[in-house]
Structures are given as C-alpha cells and as structure tokens.
C-alpha cells in the first residue's frame, strides 16, 4: 500500500459514515437484476462492520435507504425492505456476541409495523452493549431529520425562549443525539455527492470517494480510506 501511516502511528477515525452506493450498477455489469446487488451489498455491510470494529473504529453509520429511495420501482423497494427485515431478525445473536450496539436513524414511523417492531427490539436488546456503535440510516434524509428535530424542539418547549435555542439544542433533537459527528465520510461507486445524508453532522467530516462499487468494497478499501484520512489536515477554520 505504500502509506506512511500503516503502522502504530496511524490515526483511526472515531466515527466513519458510508454512503453505500453502486449495488444496482454492480449487478447490471454481471447481467443480474439490481436486487442481486442489494443482496451482495448486505453481506458486505456485515463484513465491514466486523472490520471496522477490528480496526478500532468506535462508530459506524451506513446509509441503507434514503427518503428519496421510495421513488424506485415497488419491487426494488420491497426487496430492500425485506433485506432490512432479515438483517434486524438475524443480527441479534451476532450483536450480542460481538458487543455491538445498533441504532436506526431516519423516520421509522413510515416503515411497515413489523419492521418497526424488529428495529425497536434490536435497539433495546443491544442498548447496553459497549463495543462498536452501528447506526443504520433507513428512510433517512438529512433535511427531513432537521425538520423533525425542529418539530421535536417545539413540542419539548425548546423554542419558547428562541434566543436560547442553539446548535447544542438542535443537535440534541436529531436522530444522532449523543453520537459524535463523523470524522470520515466514504462514498462508493464514483458519484461525488452527499444525496441528503447527515447534512448537519458532516460539517467538518473529511470526504473520501472511491470508484469501487459497494459489493466490491472490503477491508483493504476501508484501510485505503483511513490512509487517505491520515494525510488530511483538519483545521476547522483555524490555522495550523
Ligand atoms: C445503493 O446502491 C443502495 C441503495 C441506494 C439502496 P444503488 O441501488 O443506488 O445502486 P446504483 O447506484 O443504482 O448502482
Ligand atoms: C444514496 O444513494 C442513498 C443510499 C446509499 C441509501 P442513491 O443512489 O439513492 O443516490 P443518488 O440518487 O445517486 O443521488
Ligand atoms: Mg445509487
């Protein structure tokens, strides 16, 4: 790999966020239906969660389904929801074994009731796990999250004294309340855009884009992204 930072001096980002893109194109290239790409992509998520944990990443957040993805053909939406449903039901044992805490971010109220229940169950069962914290974004949109946060702030009376409402107060109403902001945001499969992911939280994240499609993403690719991160100088508007 030829990096200067593969050894003990390598900084591991505490929070990595991933826009897992390219499942459909990956499948099409192989003459297969798009849903085949999603099935393969789901396998990759499980492997990357283990790799991230092994590398010492404390928080991993993945974009599984956006508020805009409902506009896809009904059969594809259904296949994605079924994959998520299966994931919620099969990962309980694994999470217990690996000490993983799972949270779903996004507007869960629009999901099928049984999926909502499976999510709530998994979140409850893993809530006291102290290992890697794994966030799955489902029916998630950054703008939608901010709108829901403002509504929640209003309901909780946080807007009564408007001048007291600050960034900390808004942050505490987001789905990601209590989580640190991502240090590194990865997007696969060539597109260089945010597509409504974590708009508030990525204010100072380092961005990394790779041409690899998500189903081909692996530990070596994750390490490449971390190496690139190690060559960035984070200034937060100040000067070094
Ligand atoms: C990412 O792959 C998964 C989701 C957005 C649900 P895509 O389905 O977007 O695959 P491409 O981008 O069309 O290849
Ligand atoms: C972003 O990918 C959403 C997820 C990865 C879940 P999309 O494929 O939906 O994004 P666009 O349409 O290329 O911007
Ligand atoms: Mg896509």
């Amino acid at each position: 790999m030829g990096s200067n930072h593969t050894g003990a001096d390598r900084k591991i980002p505490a929070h990595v966020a991933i826009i897992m893109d390219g499942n459909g194109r990956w499948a099409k290239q192989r003459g297969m239906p798009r849903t085949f790409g999603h099935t393969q992509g789901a396998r990759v998520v499980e492997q990357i969660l283990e790799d991230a944990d092994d590398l010492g990443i404390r928080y991993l957040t993945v974009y599984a389904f956006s508020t805009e993805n409902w506009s896809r053909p009904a059969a594809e939406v259904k296949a994605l929801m079924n994959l998520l449903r299966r994931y919620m039901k099969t990962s309980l044992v694994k999470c217990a074994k690996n000490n993983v805490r799972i949270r779903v971010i996004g507007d869960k109220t629009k999901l099928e009731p049984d999926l909502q229940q499976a999510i709530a169950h998994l979140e409850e069962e893993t809530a006291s796990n102290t290992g890697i914290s794994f966030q799955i974004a489902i029916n998630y949109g950054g703008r939608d999250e901010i709108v829901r946060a403002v509504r929640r702030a209003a309901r909780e009376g946080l807007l009564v004294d408007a001048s007291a409402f600050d960034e900390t107060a808004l942050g505490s109403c987001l789905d990601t309340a209590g989580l640190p902001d991502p240090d590194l945001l990865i997007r696969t499969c060539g597109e260089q855009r945010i597509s409504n992911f974590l708009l508030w939280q990525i204010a100072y994240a380092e961005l990394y884009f790779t041409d690899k499609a998500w189903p081909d993403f692996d530990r070596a690719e994750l390490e490449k992204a971390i190496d690139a991160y190690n060559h960035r100088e984070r200034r937060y508007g100040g000067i070094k």
Side-chain angles (χ1 to χ4, degrees):
M1 262 174 230
S3 163
N4 305 321
H5 291 283
T6 49
D9 64 330
R10 182 166 71 169
K11 286 192 305 289
I12 298 295
H15 187 171
V16 175
I18 308 182
I19 302 174
M20 312 182 289
D21 198 21
N23 292 351
R25 279 166 282 172
W26 181 89
K28 201 179 162 198
Q29 266 181 6
R30 283 156 182 77
M32 299 294 282
R34 293 177 55 85
T35 49
F36 177 70
H38 296 315
T39 307
Q40 189 53 34
R43 291 204 185 100
V44 172
V45 183
E46 298 203 41
Q47 186 55 52
I48 288 299
L49 173 60
E50 280 184 32
D51 294 331
D53 191 14
D54 193 50
L55 286 164
I57 292 165
R58 301 294 301 151
Y59 303 86
L60 179 69
T61 301
V62 299
Y63 205 4
F65 193 92
S66 75
T67 47
E68 289 74 42
N69 287 148
W70 297 108
S71 68
R72 295 188 179 197
E76 180 170 345
V77 170
K78 195 171 172 203
L80 284 164
M81 289 301 150
N82 282 339
L83 277 171
L84 290 165
R85 199 172 262 120
R86 189 180 320 154
Y87 181 82
M88 299 306 155
K89 284 167 186 167
T90 58
S91 56
L92 252 186
V93 176
K94 242 189 184 171
C95 289
K97 181 169 147 261
N98 297 334
N99 199 18
V100 176
R101 175 169 185 184
I102 296 208
R103 271 170 279 206
V104 170
I105 60 171
D107 184 357
K108 293 177 262 202
T109 65
K110 305 274 155 53
L111 306 177
E112 295 283 343
D114 76 302
L115 181 54
Q116 288 188 45
Q117 277 161 21
I119 290 168
H121 184 59
L122 191 58
E123 287 180 333
E124 277 161 33
E125 290 293 315
T126 65
S128 58
N129 288 352
T130 54
I132 190 169
S133 178
F134 182 44
Q135 290 69 238
I136 309 172
I138 306 176
N139 188 27
Y140 177 89
R143 287 184 171 182
D144 179 67
E145 181 191 31
I146 292 168
V147 169
R148 286 185 292 104
V150 172
R151 286 188 193 139
R152 184 171 154 193
R155 276 198 307 274
E156 292 178 6
L158 297 177
L159 300 180
V160 174
D161 176 5
S163 59
F165 189 67
D166 57 10
E167 293 185 10
T168 308
L170 180 56
S172 74
C173 293
L174 293 169
D175 299 343
T176 54
L179 300 168
D181 287 341
D183 301 292
L184 172 64
L185 172 70
I186 298 170
R187 181 169 186 147
T188 61
C189 213
E191 244 63 77
Q192 302 194 355
R193 55 177 171 254
I194 300 302
S195 301
N196 206 9
F197 195 37
L198 301 175
L199 297 181
W200 173 273
Q201 298 87 343
I202 59 169
Y204 272 99
E206 295 297 331
L207 310 183
Y208 178 85
F209 301 100
T210 170
D211 286 337
K212 280 261 168 176
W214 178 250
D216 285 332
F217 196 84
D218 60 10
R219 185 187 174 118
E221 292 297 321
L222 179 59
E223 293 205 46
K224 252 193 239 173
I226 294 172
D227 286 343
Y229 172 81
N230 271 266
H231 288 89
R232 306 282 176 88
E233 186 185 60
R234 303 183 80 185
R235 288 190 292 275
Y236 300 99
I239 45 175
K240 259 280 152 66

